[in-house]
């Protein structure tokens, strides 16, 4: 800021300064208006600190029983112990394997199917009845069937993640590909493109940003299915760790499991975000 | 040679709830080789539909369109088109957008680069070859679209209100640029607009279209000498032509209002 303005501000009366501050604070609450980056960061930090402070107050202050709410120290200690004996990494790796397998399998099938469904009415007519029905089924309702059909091994857990993401992906990606402008397709025809060019050189690249967004969103959903996937007959994984800790009232371990899932979810989300920016620089969000 | 003949073309669309609507009725129109022809008409008169028929993107219900005597059966690179909406491929740079048709046609990389550079320079975008469409203004995008259509060396250039989405200052500049480019290559052009000034400023011949069902009402040769600059907009010849077109359109509008009255 210009130094003249600063000195002027220092000289003005306290009443005028108060009015200026009041109007600036009021501007933070105007809808759809940018606020300074510093204010944004401070506000976010305050929220995080308040949650942590409330947690510390309730647990260290003895206001809630430690069986119900462990202290931050206890969670840190649990993290230390399980990191030292390698069990935390073992569980985390097991969960990551299940999630990535289910998610990649779903994506590999859903992306082409979704693109075709959004671009070809005939494919839409064929697929819509199934996706329309299955999309509202809770995945947990299918678990008994899954156990009956494919047992209780890792395949069953992967299948839960698959079913939880695949149908959502197909519908979302179909929507993305249906949104590709008709003029863009027509234009490529007038430039000499044949049908196969339109598919490979127009429809597919045009849907990529939307596909990446869909993959990022459904990746988040895949994480939310983790505990459901590890509900039955698991002997490793973060979901298993959480369920198992409940039986012994090890709330510190439950908290640890939840924090690790949240953290891994956050990391995968950031990776997907970075991947989109790197792969599709032309579709950068401003 | 590139002469375009629209021979007694009609277009009817079936309505979903039954029945049909006639968008175009008995359209006869000829565009001579190297002629800049403009169709002017109110919105909803079916002029865009007519252009899509010429492009081969749709088939007429009756009649025939011929280019150099050959009936048009589908889209082809000999009829390049510039759309009103922005149709640059957002994932391709300016250069790769302009090369799109050439790449599909299997033109060698060196030749593609040369042709693209030529047309990018002609539309005044030298230095923007590696920009993505999102980084360009509306006017610049339409200039790339023009360069992309021309790079294919089409026999006919079809333009569907290409400057319709631009602000009026940019539109005026684009019209001058288009004329400048056209003076260089003298393509056969079929241009569509609802703007009478634009039609008269650009065209060798203006076809006035009526609404619902779309018909060609009047064919007006524009004998304003070329190269034209913006001064012609205030010349007596221009004003006289504009007055006559306005009279036709007004008469047509009155008839439409009377027809709509119970």
């Amino acid at each position: 800021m210009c130094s003249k303005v600063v000195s002027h501000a220092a000289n003005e009366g306290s009443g005028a300064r108060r009015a200026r501050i009041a109007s600036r604070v009021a501007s933070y609450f105007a809808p759809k208006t940018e606020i300074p980056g510093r204010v944004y960061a401070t506000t976010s930090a305050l929220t995080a600190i308040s949650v942590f402070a409330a947690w510390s107050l309730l647990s260290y202050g003895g206001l809630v029983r430690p069986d119900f709410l462990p202290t931050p120290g206890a969670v840190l200690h649990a993290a230390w112990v399980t990191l030292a004996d390698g069990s935390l990494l073992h569980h985390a790796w097991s969960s990551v394997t299940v999630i990535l397998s289910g998610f990649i399998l779903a994506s590999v099938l859903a992306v082409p199917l979704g693109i075709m469904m959004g671009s070809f009415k005939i494919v839409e007519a064929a697929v819509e009845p199934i996706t329309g029905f299955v999309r509202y089924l809770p995945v947990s309702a299918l678990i008994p069937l899954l156990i009956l059909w494919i047992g209780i091994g890792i395949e069953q857990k992967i299948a839960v993640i698959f079913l939880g993401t695949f149908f959502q992906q197909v519908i979302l990606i179909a929507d993305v590909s249906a949104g590709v402008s008709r003029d863009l397709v027509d234009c490529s025809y007038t430039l000499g493109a044949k049908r196969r060019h339109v598919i490979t050189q127009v429809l597919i690249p045009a849907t990529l940003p939307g596909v990446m967004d869909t993959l990022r969103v459904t990746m988040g959903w895949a994480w939310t299915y983790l505990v459901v996937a590890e509900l039955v007959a698991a002997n490793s994984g973060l979901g298993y760790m959480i369920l198992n800790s409940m039986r012994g009232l090890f709330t510190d371990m439950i908290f640890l499991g939840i924090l690790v899932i949240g953290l891994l979810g956050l990391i995968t989300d950031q990776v997907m975000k970075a991947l989109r920016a790197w792969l599709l620089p032309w579709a950068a969000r401003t | 040679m590139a002469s375009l003949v629209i021979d007694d073309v009609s277009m009817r669309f079936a309505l979903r709830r039954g029945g049909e609507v006639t968008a175009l009725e008995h359209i006869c129109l000829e565009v001579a080789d190297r002629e800049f022809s403009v169709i002017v008409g109110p919105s909803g008169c079916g002029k865009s539909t007519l252009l899509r028929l010429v492009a081969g993107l749709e088939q007429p219900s009756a009649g025939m369109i011929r280019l150099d005597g050959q009936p048009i059966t589908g889209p082809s690179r000999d009829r390049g088109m510039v759309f009103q909406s922005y149709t640059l491929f957002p994932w391709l740079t300016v250069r790769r957008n302009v090369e799109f048709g050439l790449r599909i046609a299997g033109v060698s990389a060196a030749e593609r680069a040369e042709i693209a550079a030529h047309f990018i320079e002609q539309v005044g975008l030298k230095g923007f070859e590696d920009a993505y469409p999102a980084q360009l203004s509306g006017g610049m995008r339409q200039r790339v679209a023009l360069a992309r259509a021309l790079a294919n060396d089409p026999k006919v250039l079809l333009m569907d209100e290409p400057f319709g989405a631009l602000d009026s200052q940019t539109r005026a500049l684009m019209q001058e640029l288009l004329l400048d480019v056209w003076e260089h290559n003298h393509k056969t052009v079929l241009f569509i607009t609802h703007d009478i000034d634009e039609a008269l400023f650009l065209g060798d011949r203006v076809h006035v279209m009526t609404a619902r069902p779309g018909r060609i009402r009047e064919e007006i040769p524009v004998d304003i000498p070329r190269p034209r600059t913006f001064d012609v907009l205030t010349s007596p010849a221009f004003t006289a032509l504009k007055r006559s077109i306005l009279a036709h359109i007004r008469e047509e509008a009155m008839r439409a209002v009377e027809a709509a009255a119970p």
Side-chain angles (χ1 to χ4, degrees):
Chain A
M1 193 190 278
C2 169
S3 61
K4 240 183 210 166
V5 176
V6 173
S7 67
H8 174 71
N11 288 339
E12 74 192 345
S14 67
R17 196 185 311 156
R18 209 175 299 138
R20 261 159 48 92
I21 291 171
S23 85
R24 192 186 315 150
V25 170
S27 76
Y28 299 157
F29 293 93
K32 298 255 170 209
T33 310
E34 284 300 317
I35 58 170
R38 207 156 34 90
V39 177
Y40 192 102
T42 312
T43 310
S44 295
L46 275 178
T47 304
I49 291 167
S50 330
V51 170
F52 190 76
W55 177 17
S56 301
L57 184 74
L58 291 173
S59 55
Y60 287 122
L63 297 170
V64 180
R65 282 168 48 193
D67 307 349
F68 277 44
L69 188 69
T71 61
V75 175
L76 263 180
H77 179 72
W80 177 251
V81 170
T82 49
L83 270 176
D85 68 11
S87 61
L88 184 62
L89 279 181
H90 171 68
H91 286 309
W93 179 245
S94 164
S95 289
V96 167
T97 312
V98 166
I99 286 198
L100 282 186
S101 308
F103 178 78
I104 291 173
L105 199 62
S107 307
V108 164
L109 296 172
V111 171
L113 185 62
I115 291 179
M116 304 238 291
M117 190 179 162
S119 306
F120 300 93
K121 283 286 165 196
I122 185 86
V123 181
E124 183 189 307
V127 179
E128 178 89 70
I130 300 169
T131 51
F133 176 73
V134 180
R135 71 182 300 195
Y136 292 113
L137 284 183
V139 176
S140 43
L142 298 171
I143 288 183
L145 261 187
L146 289 177
I147 293 173
L148 211 59
W149 286 349
I150 50 182
I152 53 175
I154 189 171
E155 298 86 353
Q156 181 263 338
K157 293 159 188 60
I158 292 173
V160 170
I161 303 291
F162 177 87
L163 288 176
T165 47
F166 174 76
F167 291 99
Q168 312 293 340
Q169 285 179 335
V170 170
I171 290 161
L172 288 171
I173 290 170
D175 214 39
V176 167
S177 106
V180 173
S181 137
R182 178 77 193 273
D183 281 352
L184 211 59
V185 172
D186 284 343
C187 180
S188 62
Y189 279 127
T190 65
L191 289 166
K194 301 285 168 235
R195 214 170 274 181
R196 69 195 145 91
H197 299 123
V198 168
I199 294 167
T200 57
Q201 305 204 27
V202 180
L203 284 175
I204 290 176
T207 51
L208 283 182
V211 167
M212 283 302 287
D213 289 340
T214 302
L215 292 185
R216 187 174 156 207
V217 170
T218 50
M219 185 67 173
W221 295 348
W223 277 102
T224 66
Y225 288 119
L226 180 67
V227 179
V228 181
E230 292 173 350
L231 200 62
V232 185
N235 48 26
S236 66
L238 294 166
Y240 162 78
M241 188 179 104
I242 290 172
L243 290 164
N244 207 34
S245 305
M246 184 189 70
R247 295 189 189 118
L249 281 182
F250 303 129
T251 34
D252 49 351
M253 290 290 287
I254 296 181
F255 265 64
L256 178 63
I258 292 170
L259 285 177
V260 172
I261 292 178
L263 211 62
L264 287 174
L266 191 68
I267 290 170
T268 45
D269 193 59
Q270 291 301 311
V271 169
M272 298 289 280
K273 200 169 151 185
L275 212 59
R276 184 193 196 274
W278 179 61
L279 289 175
L280 312 169
W282 52 272
R285 291 206 188 74
T286 46
Chain B
M1 264 299 281
S3 63
L4 183 72
V5 176
I6 300 173
D7 186 7
D8 199 17
V9 160
S10 296
M11 185 68 177
R12 286 179 289 274
F13 292 106
L15 295 175
R16 196 168 273 217
R17 55 176 191 276
E20 55 179 25
V21 63
T22 305
L24 300 169
E25 199 167 66
H26 302 301
I27 303 276
C28 291
L29 195 154
E30 277 184 40
V31 184
D33 184 37
R34 297 158 78 84
E35 184 179 68
F36 198 126
S37 233
V38 183
I39 299 176
V40 64
S43 43
C45 73
K47 55 193 192 297
S48 286
T49 305
L50 182 60
L51 207 67
R52 289 177 63 81
L53 292 177
V54 177
L57 295 168
E58 282 169 62
Q59 295 302 315
S61 313
M64 188 172 272
I65 303 174
R66 280 186 294 267
L67 180 62
D68 293 342
Q70 292 295 313
I72 286 168
T73 53
S76 146
R77 66 197 302 267
D78 61 18
R79 277 155 286 128
M81 186 151 166
V82 181
F83 292 72
Q84 178 178 7
S85 64
Y86 300 130
T87 51
L88 294 188
F89 303 113
W91 56 92
L92 299 179
T93 60
V94 166
R95 189 202 321 269
R96 302 208 11 117
N97 259 288
V98 175
E99 288 181 358
F100 185 88
L102 299 169
R103 200 165 47 243
I104 279 179
V107 175
S108 76
E111 201 178 335
R112 270 186 344 231
E114 194 183 322
I115 296 172
H118 172 73
F119 284 104
I120 288 170
E121 179 162 12
Q122 208 168 72
V123 299
L125 286 178
K126 206 165 186 245
F128 289 92
E129 291 88 348
D130 297 319
Y132 284 106
Q135 298 164 295
L136 304 179
S137 70
M140 289 161 94
R141 287 182 207 189
Q142 292 306 70
R143 282 192 265 167
V144 179
L146 176 63
R148 182 176 62 178
L150 289 172
N152 248 355
D153 193 24
K155 289 180 177 169
V156 182
L157 184 60
L158 307 172
M159 305 189 83
D160 186 6
E161 298 203 45
F163 311 142
L166 305 176
D167 64 80
S168 60
Q169 281 87 351
T170 311
R171 192 184 311 153
L173 290 175
M174 291 293 290
Q175 289 162 359
E176 285 191 295
L177 177 119
L178 175 61
L179 280 191
D180 188 46
V181 170
W182 188 74
E183 298 291 347
H184 280 96
N185 54 38
H186 263 275
K187 285 275 164 213
T188 306
V189 178
L190 186 55
F191 188 105
I192 275 180
T193 181
H194 61 259
D195 180 343
I196 299 169
D197 285 3
E198 184 169 75
L200 288 173
F201 180 60
L202 297 174
D204 292 320
R205 193 177 296 277
V206 173
H207 305 269
V208 182
M209 223 172 139
T210 66
R212 253 162 254 209
R215 288 191 194 113
I216 301 289
R217 185 194 156 100
E218 204 64 49
E219 189 187 310
I220 297 168
V222 183
D223 340 300
I224 299 172
R226 295 182 188 268
R228 296 175 191 165
T229 62
F230 245 75
D231 299 332
V232 308
L233 286 181
T234 46
S235 72
F238 186 93
T239 317
L241 284 168
K242 187 174 174 181
R243 188 178 299 132
S244 106
I245 293 182
L246 277 171
H248 286 303
I249 286 181
R250 191 180 133 76
E251 205 173 299
E252 206 47 50
M254 300 276 280
R255 198 184 304 166
V257 169
E258 274 161 31

